[in-house]
Amino acid sequence: MLIVGNGNLVTLGADPRVIAGGAVAVEDGLIVEVGATRDLQAKHQKAEFLDAAGAVIMPGLINIHAHGYGAFARGLAIPGEPPRTFLQILQGLWWKLDRALTLEDVYVCAALGFIDGLRNGTTSVFDHHASPKAIAGSLDEEARAAGEVGVRACLCYEVSDRDGPGPAAEGIEENVRFIRSLGGRPGRLAGCMGLHASLTLSDATLARAVAEAGKLGVGCHLHVAEGPEDGADSVSRYGKSVVKRLADLGVLGPRSIAAHCVHVDQEDIDLLARTRTIVAHNAQSNMSNAVGVAPALAMVHSGVRVGLGTDGFTTDLFEAAAGTNIVHKLAARDPSVGWEEGQRMALGTNAEVASEFFGGRLGALAPGYGADLIVVDYDPYTAMNEGNFWGHMLFGMRGGQVRHAVVDGRVVMRDRQVLGLDEAGLRARARTLSKKVWERFAAL
C-alpha cells in the first residue's frame, strides 16, 4: 500500500472536497481511502508514505489531443518565405517533418513528449501520430515509450491519402494491428482509428477505416475543420460541411474524438451533440496557427462533449487551461465568459473521456477510482476551497510546480525525476537524431 499525504488534498469529481492535511491511500492501482493523514497512517502503519510536505495533492491531468511526433520541430527553421496560411504550415513543416522520421525517432519523440507531459502533471495522453516513411510498428514504439515513462496513453496512427494509397492502407493496418494487440483489456494503453482530416481523405479510405473501427469497437481520432481550407474543400468536392460529411460516412460518434472544430456553424454543432462526438479544444495551437477561435463555449452550451487538448503546442495542461480561459474572454470581449465551461472541459469532460477509453474511473481522488495523482508544489496565500480551486489552478499553478506523480498506483516521478529511465541519455540521443531528421527535412 502507498499513502500520499500531508498536503492539501483536492478530490475533484462529483463530490469535490479540499482536505487540509489530507491523504490518499492506494492499493493495487486503485484509491481505497481518502482522509486525514494522521488517520490513514494510523490505520495503515506498514504502508509506504510519500510526503507532499504541504503541497497540493490532486488528480493527474489528461490531454485528449497531442502530437508527440513533433518533438524535433523545436528550433527547426522552415526554408523560404514564412507560411501565411494554415495549409502552408502543413505543407512546409508538418508534412515534411513526419516524412523524415524513422522508427527510432518515433520512440525518442514519444518518450520525450510523455516525460515533459508527466513533469507538467499530465498522467494520461491521447496521442495522434504520423510517420509515413515508418508506419509499421510505430504505435508499438510509442507504446514502449509510454510504458517506460509510466503514463497512460491512447494511441493511433494518422491515416491520410496525401502520401498515396499505399501509406493510407498501411496506416489503417497499423491501427488495426495495434488495437488487436491490446486484446480489449482496459489498462494503461488504449487505441482508436487515427485519421488526418477531411481534406486529405477520400470517401473510399474513410469507409475502409470506419469499417475496420466498427469491427474493433473503437472510434476515430481526427482533425475536424481546423483551418478554413478543410471546410472549403468539403463544400467544393462534396457539397456539404466537414462535420456533415464525416457524419454521413459514420466517422462521428461517442467513441470518436474530433479535434479543433474551429470552423463549424450551429448546424454542425447540433450534429456533434446528437452523435455525442467528443471535441478536443486546442486554443493555444489555434492561436499559434492563426486559424481562429473555436466556438467551444457554444458547443458546451449545445450539449457537445468538449474536452481540452494541446495539439503539441505545449505539454502543460495548466498553461493550456489558462490560455483557454483568456482567449474566449478576448474573443467575446466579455470578461465574464468561459469560467465554468473551461473547468468543465479540463476537469470534467477530460476525466469522463479517459475513464471511457482506459476503463474504470479516472479524474477524481475517491475510493474506487484509478490511482492517478500529482503533487503540485503550490502553497496558496489565500483561502483555497471547493468553490474556488479552479481559480487557484488557473492563476497560481503551472506544470513547473509538479513535484511527484503516481500513475495506476505506482510512483513514476519523484522530486521531478522520472523513475527507471535514463533521461539524460535519452536527451543526448535526441540531439543526435534530431540533427539527422533536420537534414532529411531540408532535403525534401
Side-chain angles (χ1 to χ4, degrees), residues 18-147:
V18 175
I19 305 173
V24 55
V26 173
E27 192 169 37
D28 296 328
L30 296 175
I31 294 168
V32 294
E33 196 171 355
V34 297
T37 299
R38 61 179 179 274
D39 294 339
L40 266 60
Q41 283 192 296
K43 185 175 180 179
H44 308 287
Q45 296 182 16
K46 294 184 179 180
E48 176 188 355
F49 184 69
L50 182 61
D51 191 353
V56 170
I57 306 169
M58 63 180 286
L61 299 178
I62 297 154
N63 186 346
I64 67 167
H65 183 67
H67 291 294
Y69 78 85
F72 289 169
R74 288 186 185 178
L76 175 63
I78 304 175
E81 289 293 318
R84 303 300 298 269
T85 69
F86 179 58
L87 187 58
Q88 288 174 357
I89 293 172
L90 294 177
Q91 293 171 334
L93 175 59
W94 299 114
W95 293 352
K96 290 175 63 178
L97 180 66
D98 64 25
R99 289 200 298 272
L101 299 175
T102 67
L103 284 180
E104 185 179 11
D105 300 323
V106 170
Y107 162 76
V108 173
C109 286
L112 291 171
F114 293 142
I115 288 170
D116 283 356
L118 185 63
R119 192 164 279 127
N120 285 317
T122 300
T123 54
S124 294
V125 183
F126 288 68
D127 193 78
H128 194 273
H129 174 67
S131 56
K133 300 296 183 183
I135 298 174
S138 60
L139 297 184
D140 288 343
E141 292 302 311
E142 287 211 307
R144 178 163 70 96

Side-chain angles (χ1 to χ4, degrees), residues 1 34 39 68 100 103 124 151 156 206 238 312 344 353 370 424 431 442:
M1 177 176 284
V34 297
D39 294 339
L103 284 180
S124 294
V151 297
C156 68
L206 281 171
Y238 305 102
R344 175 64 187 161
V353 171
R431 284 187 285 272

Side-chain angles (χ1 to χ4, degrees), residues 22-357:
V24 55
V26 173
E27 192 169 37
D28 296 328
L30 296 175
I31 294 168
V32 294
E33 196 171 355
V34 297
T37 299
R38 61 179 179 274
D39 294 339
L40 266 60
Q41 283 192 296
K43 185 175 180 179
H44 308 287
Q45 296 182 16
K46 294 184 179 180
E48 176 188 355
F49 184 69
L50 182 61
D51 191 353
V56 170
I57 306 169
M58 63 180 286
L61 299 178
I62 297 154
N63 186 346
I64 67 167
H65 183 67
H67 291 294
Y69 78 85
F72 289 169
R74 288 186 185 178
L76 175 63
I78 304 175
E81 289 293 318
R84 303 300 298 269
T85 69
F86 179 58
L87 187 58
Q88 288 174 357
I89 293 172
L90 294 177
Q91 293 171 334
L93 175 59
W94 299 114
W95 293 352
K96 290 175 63 178
L97 180 66
D98 64 25
R99 289 200 298 272
L101 299 175
T102 67
L103 284 180
E104 185 179 11
D105 300 323
V106 170
Y107 162 76
V108 173
C109 286
L112 291 171
F114 293 142
I115 288 170
D116 283 356
L118 185 63
R119 192 164 279 127
N120 285 317
T122 300
T123 54
S124 294
V125 183
F126 288 68
D127 193 78
H128 194 273
H129 174 67
S131 56
K133 300 296 183 183
I135 298 174
S138 60
L139 297 184
D140 288 343
E141 292 302 311
E142 287 211 307
R144 178 163 70 96
E148 291 176 358
V149 176
V151 297
R152 297 185 195 266
C154 179
L155 307 175
C156 68
Y157 183 84
E158 175 188 286
V159 176
S160 174
D161 287 310
R162 67 178 181 267
D163 293 297
E170 193 176 355
I172 292 173
E173 178 52 36
E174 176 65 6
N175 285 308
V176 170
R177 182 200 60 76
F178 176 73
I179 294 165
R180 283 178 176 164
S181 75
L182 300 177
R185 299 180 300 274
R188 290 195 298 272
L189 288 176
C192 51
M193 179 63 67
L195 301 167
H196 176 243
S198 173
L199 82 167
T200 71
L201 287 160
S202 67
D203 281 357
T205 297
L206 281 171
R208 288 198 301 272
V210 168
E212 293 296 341
K215 294 175 188 176
L216 295 164
V218 301
C220 300
H221 186 171
L222 75 163
H223 307 98
V224 176
E226 181 176 2
E229 298 90 343
D230 204 17
D233 174 85
S234 187
V235 171
S236 173
R237 296 168 62 192
Y238 305 102
K240 60 186 76 173
S241 74
V242 172
V243 172
K244 182 65 164 61
R245 180 185 180 223
L246 296 174
D248 288 348
L249 290 168
V251 176
L252 305 183
R255 296 281 288 177
S256 288
I257 299 173
H260 301 291
C261 294
V262 177
H263 297 274
V264 294
D265 60 20
Q266 189 59 50
E267 186 176 347
D268 294 327
I269 292 171
D270 292 341
L271 189 49
L272 289 166
R274 286 199 302 273
T275 57
R276 297 213 18 94
T277 301
I278 302 154
V279 170
H281 183 35
N282 308 277
Q284 290 173 303
S285 173
N286 296 156
M287 286 187 276
S288 177
N289 288 326
V291 295
V293 179
L297 307 189
M299 285 190 259
V300 170
H301 292 302
S302 296
V304 180
R305 299 197 294 167
V306 185
L308 196 62
T310 65
D311 196 43
F313 180 85
T314 180
T315 59
D316 187 343
L317 264 294
F318 291 103
E319 175 189 304
T324 301
N325 177 62
I326 293 168
V327 73
H328 288 289
K329 297 178 187 303
L330 176 62
R333 298 191 177 187
D334 182 350
S336 71
V337 307
W339 186 264
E340 293 180 0
E341 298 92 342
Q343 183 175 9
R344 175 64 187 161
M345 293 178 213
L347 303 180
T349 303
N350 278 18
E352 293 169 5
V353 171
S355 298
E356 292 169 10
F357 277 75

